[in-house]
Amino acid sequence: MKIKLIIIFILGLLLGGVLVFLNTNPKSNGYIPYFKIIGDVENVVTVRSEADYVQEMIEVKHKDENFKGIPLEKLIEEAGPLTENSTILFVGTDGLSSEIELSGIQKSYIYFSENHGWNVINLEHPISSNIKHILEIIVASKDQNNDFGIQIFSEKENVKNLTCGRMAQSDYLYRRKFEGTSKVTVDGKTNEVTVYTPEKIISVEHLMPESEIESYVIFSRDGRQTRTSTPGYLKINDNTMDYLPMNLNQDVIKDIAGIYYGTKISTITDTFYDAEYYLSKNKKVMLILLDGFSYAQWMYCSENGYSPFLSGSGESKKVLSAYKPVTNTGMATMITGQAPNVHGVHDRSVRSLNCESIFNIAIKQNKKACLVEGDVKILNTEIEPILNIDRNKNGRIDDEILESAQEQMSNHDLCFVHFHGIDDSGHTYGPFAQETLSYISEIDHYVKTLVSEWDGVVIITADHGMHTTEAGGNHGSCRFEDMIVPYIVINPDHS
């Protein structure tokens, strides 16, 4: 009996302690909301509890009141702004918002109170910048930077650079997304409810210039390419955007990188299908890859006499590269005829293909194929590449690649030749620097030499283009300089 009384006494003390704790700790009463840091950031940060940031919290004095706050700088650092030249937008649950510069948050703090939820206090800003009941903090880049966000581009220019942060300042619409219906019957009466969730969207048509548009191509970051004749909508998420088709029965395209608009345009997948067609007609085929050669460069060189052979030979057109416009991805797209979401090569780190290449097509037809490369194996294909080094020590390998191709062509039905130097020069000097233009003239002569010695069809294109930077040139963005490349077919039978 005494043991039972002791146990009851101890339980009573414990229960009493819990009740005292609950009554003296108002933050434990009820539901504590959370807020997010979203927009132009690498990581979406969800803040749920001050307890997650105990070590970072510091004593803050505001209006003769002392409290412990989380430095906003710490939270923003965790989110990883895409650029330092940004603004911070504080949005309250009632819609009240304030905006300050990212560079001025050294004395800005976040703290939680029972009456006002999450609050921001900006000690070095006007009092109107302090928002209660924080719903979200939006980082918005002030830079028009085509290396992040999504790009809307035509075959001639980059039209718009959109980011989630800046879109928060735009006139987007809230659309109700239908989630489903349910029914319940009580006392013989059936009641039905329809459930919706809000979506932040904006019409793609609203973002376009006023002109007739034949085609749109939507590029997602997983490499998917979707062609449509209707504009659809952009859905703004925390730090990504999706494409919603006009026809709601079609699939949503997640996490898009860019949208091409304009005339109907093909892609570098034509390389595979044209080669397959000519091989099936028992014609020899040479594929020439001019690494980093954009359509804009081709046009400039054509107009200014730097590429007389390329400019005056065969049927020429502009085509779209694949996203991400880098060598591994572009080359894989050329030789498989598939987009990156199918062949599986999304960037420079991937070499293995998920589907067969044009080399295997040739093998199935009992034809001999070769791949003449630089000094590094770019992709794992059904045949081993013939690698070349700078034997004459002149600082380039395209002259060795030319000689190697000349040696191989007489014994092969399919010959793939990969010239690297335009890309190398573009990175170093810029795509339109005199050094690069002169090198294009040299490659123009190499191509003329190969075509004159090849008894068959020649297809010439590029894996990607290149844009100008302060340091020279670069590529990898969903923009017209990187994504639009030339496509030339030289067919002796049609000459």
Side-chain angles (χ1 to χ4, degrees), residues 10 22 29 59 73 100-101 106 109 146 157 198 211 232 253 255 281 294 301 328 358 360 374 403 426 445 484:
I10 293 173
L22 292 173
N29 287 335
E59 290 283 349
E73 277 188 305
I100 65 175
E101 295 289 325
Q106 291 80 9
Y109 304 94
N146 290 321
E157 61 181 341
S211 61
I253 304 172
D255 194 10
K281 299 298 182 182
S294 71
C301 290
N328 294 46
I358 190 64
N360 205 47
E403 293 176 8
H445 179 71
I484 309 287

Side-chain angles (χ1 to χ4, degrees), residues 173-179 194-201 248:
L173 305 174
Y174 276 97
R175 185 177 77 166
R176 295 190 308 163
K177 178 186 176 184
F178 172 75
E179 295 289 355
T194 303
V195 179
Y196 300 90
T197 54
E199 290 182 324
K200 293 182 282 188
I201 67 167
L248 297 181

Side-chain angles (χ1 to χ4, degrees), residues 406-417:
Q406 289 175 296
E407 293 171 1
Q408 298 297 325
M409 62 170 61
S410 61
N411 299 321
H412 293 89
D413 305 290
L414 173 67
C415 190
F416 189 108
V417 183

Side-chain angles (χ1 to χ4, degrees), residues 34-91:
Y34 65 87
F35 72 90
K36 291 182 178 181
I37 301 176
I38 62 174
D40 302 335
V41 295
E42 291 283 350
N43 311 299
V44 175
V45 174
T46 303
V47 180
R48 300 183 183 276
S49 170
E50 289 177 321
D52 297 330
Y53 296 92
V54 169
Q55 307 230 344
E56 289 82 18
M57 293 176 71
I58 62 175
E59 290 283 349
V60 179
K61 184 175 182 180
H62 177 63
K63 291 184 177 182
D64 298 325
E65 178 185 352
N66 293 324
F67 64 89
K68 280 193 172 183
I70 308 168
L72 181 59
E73 277 188 305
K74 169 63 181 177
L75 298 176
I76 297 298
E77 180 184 345
E78 188 178 341
L82 298 178
T83 174
E84 293 182 2
N85 186 25
S86 299
T87 60
I88 304 291
L89 182 67
F90 305 103
V91 181

